[in-house]
Amino acid sequence: MAPSLLRPASPCRPLAPPPCAAGPGRSRGTVSIGDSTARGVTLRAAGSGRSDFSCATKASEDHSGLTRQLLDFQHDTVDETDGGYDPFSQLKERFTDFKQRNYVENFTNYQKLAEQQTPEFMVVACADSRVCPTSILGLQPGDAFTVRNVANLVPPYEHGASETTAALEFAVNSLQVPNVLVVGHSRCGGIQALMSMKSKKDDRSSRTFIRDWVSLGKSARLSTEAAAGNLSFESQCRHCEKESINSSLLNLLTYPWIEERVKEGNLNLHGGYYNFIDCTFEKWTLVYRPGLEGGSKYAIKNRSTWS
């Protein structure tokens, strides 16, 4: 079942007054993020042309003060601990090891990355701490532009702005990645939350950020209930974990600039499923045939399991 195009449950309220109008002579410009000028494409700022956001909120004043403290810091290493457990001690050791074993030994490559990035993949993965695509797939700095969210969901285009859609826009339009990989996994808590949403009445009475977010996968839940509704809840969740990946792959095609690149053959969409119970990884590629008549426009190819 193709994913339905879902609208937000309710419009967001602005958190701050609208920005002041731009001063004379100011116009919409070009934004460069992290010097990511790969493949000659630059990210342009969308909007009304107002570029001078000078109306500061109380929150912005607070974080500006914190930033000034960081800038005033003299960069001397001072470990301020109370003598108890320091959660950063292991991270410090790992960073030092990374610098010596990886950065120093591949210094030339890191100097190139400092100038630009040309990743092969855009990866959408789950925020679950057990599912780190960098670790399980051996990705190195510069290999993949990555965004992680609860249940590795890709909202449909009409859902509007989110951290996931912003990352997709930059990866596809600016970095021009040739591959997008959506990675799901076993025992996903987000999918369990999705499968636990049974009635509209229940949805309204227990609204949370998580429930609102995972409701984007409603079409995957409905498909799962139709195909595996007679199975146990655990089995239904396992089915939905893969169903939601395919739902996200189809949602990717609702973005005009993604569909265009796929039709041109410049972008491939892939699904991946990591089972951390037995440490296997399943991958497949979506086939999109927009001109096909009398059959499904979608198919799967190049399916394989790594074990």
Side-chain angles (χ1 to χ4, degrees), residues 159-171:
H159 178 262
S162 70
E163 76 289 343
T164 300
T165 54
L168 284 167
E169 182 179 55
F170 184 64

Side-chain angles (χ1 to χ4, degrees), residues 9-255:
S10 60
C12 297
R13 295 181 179 179
L15 299 179
C20 297
R26 301 298 296 269
S27 60
R28 184 174 65 186
T30 300
V31 178
S32 180
I33 298 181
D35 293 326
S36 300
T37 54
R39 300 184 174 96
V41 181
T42 307
L43 179 65
R44 295 191 175 276
S48 62
R50 296 175 298 186
S51 58
D52 184 11
F53 300 98
S54 58
C55 295
T57 63
K58 180 63 168 64
S60 67
E61 293 172 358
D62 289 341
H63 68 65
S64 293
L66 293 174
T67 303
R68 283 194 296 271
Q69 292 182 42
L70 289 176
L71 294 175
D72 292 340
F73 183 59
Q74 298 301 313
H75 296 287
D76 294 326
T77 300
V78 179
D79 293 326
E80 298 179 355
T81 62
D82 56 6
Y85 170 70
D86 180 7
F88 286 93
S89 60
Q90 282 192 337
L91 296 185
K92 179 181 178 181
E93 292 178 5
R94 293 171 187 172
F95 172 76
T96 303
D97 183 68
F98 159 78
K99 184 172 183 179
Q100 295 300 322
R101 294 179 179 271
N102 199 315
Y103 180 83
V104 173
E105 293 182 5
N106 299 279
F107 181 75
T108 301
N109 182 51
Y110 279 97
Q111 290 299 104
K112 293 178 180 178
L113 287 176
E115 298 300 323
Q116 68 174 21
Q117 55 173 327
T118 55
E120 182 72 17
F121 289 93
M122 164 70 197
V123 175
V124 181
C126 186
D128 193 302
S129 64
R130 301 165 293 183
V131 187
C132 179
T134 299
S135 295
I136 64 177
L137 297 176
L139 298 173
Q140 298 298 311
D143 287 347
F145 194 81
T146 305
V147 66
R148 298 175 68 177
N149 62 49
V150 173
N152 46 270
L153 297 174
V154 174
Y157 176 74
E158 72 171 42
H159 178 262
S162 70
E163 76 289 343
T164 300
T165 54
L168 284 167
E169 182 179 55
F170 184 64
V172 174
N173 290 342
S174 295
L175 299 180
Q176 297 187 20
V177 294
N179 298 283
V180 176
L181 172 63
V182 179
V183 180
H185 66 95
S186 57
R187 295 184 178 174
C188 179
I191 295 299
Q192 291 174 12
L194 172 64
M195 291 302 298
S196 298
M197 297 168 59
K198 294 300 183 183
S199 67
K200 292 183 179 179
K201 181 179 179 181
D202 178 57
D203 292 350
R204 289 194 298 267
S205 63
S206 55
R207 289 279 299 275
T208 65
F209 291 134
I210 293 176
R211 292 178 69 87
D212 283 356
W213 172 254
V214 299
S215 67
L216 291 169
K218 181 180 179 180
S219 64
R221 190 194 81 200
L222 296 177
S223 296
T224 296
E225 291 173 346
N230 61 325
L231 302 179
S232 67
F233 180 76
E234 182 180 355
S235 297
Q236 290 184 51
C237 288
R238 187 161 57 247
H239 182 99
C240 190
E241 286 162 357
K242 294 184 180 180
E243 191 75 55
S244 68
I245 297 171
N246 287 325
S247 175
S248 286
L249 291 177
L250 297 191
N251 278 349
L252 284 169
L253 290 171
T254 66
Y255 295 77

